[in-house]
Amino acid sequence: MTSPANRDLSRAARLSVAPMMDWTDRHCRALHRLLSRDTLLYTEMVTAPALVRGGALHLLDHSDDGPVALQLGGSDPAELAEAARLGAQAGYDQIDLNCGCPSDRVQSGTFGAVLMRSPELVADCVAAMRAAVDIEVTVKCRIGVDEQEPREVLPDFLETVSATGCSRFVIHARKAWLKGLSPKENRDIPPLDYPLVHEMKAAFPHLHISINGGIESLDEVQQHLAQGLDGVMIGRAAYHRPWDILGEADRAIYGTDHGLSAEQAVQEMLPYIEAHLSAGGRLHQVTRHMLGLFAGRPGARGWRRVLSERATRDGAGTEVVELALSQLTEPA
């Protein structure tokens, strides 16, 4: 396994897969890593209290041999510092602080997007985390929340937090509305402001800035990179169409190509699935992340149907995956 200290995170972060609650768990990342060796992957958000007070260290389990970031949620500097230490010990390449999630549950813990209102507190948290670990500490944020004027608050946020020495930010190019919109609506309704994120790169050229929000294709990724941004983060498109995004990413974004087809990726997942089942896991816990692997391909509906109907059954094993794979047909 490559040591985090020896990885080029600036290169890896040219493309990253967003942290997505209930989606980017270790099983999802196992699939995504097979599709792309180079893309920077993120965990789901893990709360610092769960690790430090709850002792839920199983949330840190991973076996990734590529660049991977642990995203933490919290607002207590000492607690975040301890959680960051635990993440570093678990072998993560970087620790990211969530300043973008708008859910009520997150707000009640005084973290997530609500922290956009408290850049000094974010700076204190980041400073404590940086002092606790030798790996990169980054921040994922929004352009603002509620009635804030993004062109006023975002530069102040970046200046205040980067004064701690934090040099890498992922900016979701939508404002978050903390009241009145659900987390799902917050991913769709507030308008995207890509130009503002590009303006922030021009205003803070020394910072590594990635853009997030509504990006659907590698062509769009390349456009943002060509316009001067350091990285692009893709969320739902990478999850729902993993081959379209990650299967082509190493070649298109990094200039490398390990030549693994979607079918080969499924075959490579079988030993992983068998190990998970042997440890008492259930098939659908892994295969639910694989439903979109053949999106747009002949037979994709049959692939999804077999996995959806059979993977949840008691005793379901890799024979279900093999049967689903047999539903695929080659393009004419």
Side-chain angles (χ1 to χ4, degrees):
M1 183 176 291
T2 305
S3 165
N6 295 329
R7 277 201 248 275
D8 183 352
L9 289 181
S10 293
R11 176 180 180 274
R14 287 174 62 78
L15 178 66
S16 56
V17 177
M20 292 176 280
M21 293 298 291
D22 299 321
W23 286 5
T24 52
D25 62 17
R26 61 191 175 93
H27 306 309
C28 174
R29 298 196 310 273
L31 172 67
H32 287 182
R33 180 57 66 213
L34 282 173
L35 299 177
S36 173
R37 292 178 180 172
D38 295 321
T39 300
L40 176 61
L41 304 181
Y42 280 71
T43 67
E44 304 172 90
M45 183 185 67
V46 177
T47 68
L51 295 176
V52 177
R53 286 184 246 159
L57 298 185
H58 66 279
L59 296 175
L60 299 178
D61 290 347
H62 76 99
S63 57
D64 202 325
D65 192 25
V68 60
L70 168 67
Q71 188 183 66
L72 293 176
S75 60
D76 179 89
E79 199 163 57
L80 281 164
E82 178 57 25
R85 270 193 291 268
L86 293 170
Q89 290 170 4
Y92 287 93
D93 294 86
Q94 72 176 53
I95 310 293
D96 183 75
L97 178 62
N98 183 318
C99 297
C101 182
S103 77
D104 291 339
R105 181 162 59 96
V106 168
Q107 289 179 54
S108 68
T110 321
F111 52 87
V114 71
L115 286 173
M116 294 298 297
R117 293 175 175 162
S118 307
E120 293 82 6
L121 174 58
V122 175
D124 289 343
C125 292
V126 169
M129 294 162 72
R130 282 175 48 81
V133 299
D134 294 328
I135 58 176
E136 195 87 44
V137 174
T138 65
V139 171
K140 185 174 187 290
C141 66
R142 293 276 183 148
I143 59 174
V145 296
D146 296 340
E147 301 301 332
Q148 287 182 331
E149 170 47 56
R151 276 177 168 73
E152 295 175 3
V153 301
L154 186 56
D156 178 63
F157 181 89
L158 293 176
E159 184 170 0
T160 301
V161 178
S162 66
T164 66
C166 176
S167 62
R168 291 184 52 203
F169 295 80
V170 177
I171 303 174
H172 187 149
R174 280 190 177 97
K175 185 185 284 190
W177 289 94
L178 301 179
K179 300 295 180 185
L181 292 182
S182 70
K184 180 180 184 302
E185 291 169 327
N186 262 299
R187 293 193 296 266
D188 296 307
I189 293 177
L192 287 160
D193 192 347
Y194 292 155
L196 177 58
V197 181
H198 285 269
E199 289 170 25
M200 293 303 97
K201 178 59 187 178
F204 299 91
H206 60 292
L207 296 182
H208 185 290
I209 293 180
S210 295
I211 192 169
N212 172 232
I215 297 162
E216 294 283 332
S217 70
L218 292 181
D219 285 344
E220 291 177 70
V221 171
Q222 291 170 318
Q223 290 169 19
H224 284 294
L225 294 174
Q227 292 170 38
L229 287 177
D230 301 292
V232 180
M233 175 179 279
I234 297 187
R236 286 168 289 170
Y239 186 85
H240 291 304
R241 297 183 287 109
W243 173 256
D244 288 352
I245 303 299
L246 297 172
E248 299 291 339
D250 288 359
R251 177 189 55 78
I253 305 301
Y254 302 99
T256 62
D257 189 2
H258 61 285
L260 199 67
S261 69
E263 288 89 347
Q264 288 169 329
V266 173
Q267 294 294 338
E268 296 262 346
M269 282 295 291
L270 295 181
Y272 178 92
I273 291 171
E274 288 170 351
H276 176 64
L277 297 175
S278 296
R282 294 177 64 86
L283 181 63
H284 72 89
Q285 292 170 323
V286 179
T287 57
R288 70 187 184 96
H289 303 300
M290 301 170 67
L291 295 177
L293 190 54
F294 298 98
R297 288 258 313 261
R301 182 176 298 177
W303 161 263
R304 293 193 302 270
R305 184 186 67 253
V306 170
L307 290 184
S308 298
E309 292 177 354
R310 299 182 182 231
T312 56
R313 297 178 183 175
D314 289 343
T318 55
E319 73 283 348
V320 173
V321 182
E322 298 277 13
L323 178 62
L325 202 56
S326 73
Q327 306 301 303
L328 297 168
T329 56
E330 291 299 321

